[in-house]
Amino acid sequence: MQTLTRSRCLVFLLVLFGVFSLRQVSATRLNPVSWSIEPDTSHTTPGSTALIHLRAQIEPGYHLYSATTPSHGPIRTTIALRNPPVSLLRIDVYQPPPNRHIDPTLNVPVETFEKTVDFPVALKVASGVADGNVTLEIAVRYQACSSELCLPPVTRTATAKLLISPGSPTHPSPPKGYVLLPR
């Protein structure tokens, strides 16, 4: 009888530990990437190009796939402007050089980013637009993986305000070595 009680105790502790571990995993690891937007400047002028930075902060042990990861593999990162304001004529997204390698689990070529990644976004503002704030909503669809698991693809939205005010038009460039992503 005593052995049965010890066995039940052991099973209870294992189940309890498993539930605690799952809660900890779900609380910390099911959203291992956070997104933010930072404009290069506090404002832009009509007829200018505004450069903003879409940044991903990636938890240790995780990576996300580049926007140029070869097809027939994991989900590529895609970036799109949601509800584009009429004041914006065009959006160009740039990507830094990714880490290229063969995925050991899938045995396919992949391109990944770890820790942080900056996607500069060039926004061409129309001439003759009224002064004021423009709300930017950038939707990012991506898949985060670790060496142990891949999470399902998710879409997150990062938002920021861009002030349009009078001044001389500017046309900043993305950092050297970054490539323009296909639309």
Side-chain angles (χ1 to χ4, degrees), residues 91-152:
I91 174 175
D92 291 325
V93 180
Y94 296 85
Q95 171 181 278
N99 175 15
R100 293 178 172 95
H101 58 280
I102 300 294
D103 184 283
T105 305
L106 302 172
N107 199 30
V108 295
V110 294
E111 299 177 352
T112 60
F113 296 107
E114 295 177 357
K115 298 179 184 173
T116 63
V117 61
D118 174 22
F119 293 96
V121 179
L123 304 163
K124 175 69 175 154
V125 179
S127 298
V129 205
D131 297 347
N133 280 314
V134 173
T135 301
L136 303 172
E137 292 181 40
I138 298 181
V140 185
R141 183 173 188 262
Y142 64 96
Q143 182 172 27
C145 296
S146 73
S147 61
E148 299 163 0
L149 74 121
C150 276
L151 300 174

Side-chain angles (χ1 to χ4, degrees), residues 54 65-67 75-80 138-142 155 181:
L54 176 65
Y65 296 95
S66 75
I75 302 296
R76 296 177 181 169
T77 297
T78 58
I79 300 166
I138 298 181
V140 185
R141 183 173 188 262
Y142 64 96
T155 301
L181 297 177

Side-chain angles (χ1 to χ4, degrees), residues 34-76:
S34 59
W35 295 91
S36 63
I37 298 175
E38 293 179 35
D40 252 6
T41 61
S42 60
H43 72 281
T44 193
T45 60
S48 288
T49 301
L51 191 63
I52 63 170
H53 297 272
L54 176 65
R55 290 200 170 102
Q57 186 69 36
I58 307 161
E59 285 186 16
Y62 279 87
H63 59 268
L64 63 88
Y65 296 95
S66 75
T68 53
T69 287
S71 57
H72 308 299
I75 302 296
R76 296 177 181 169

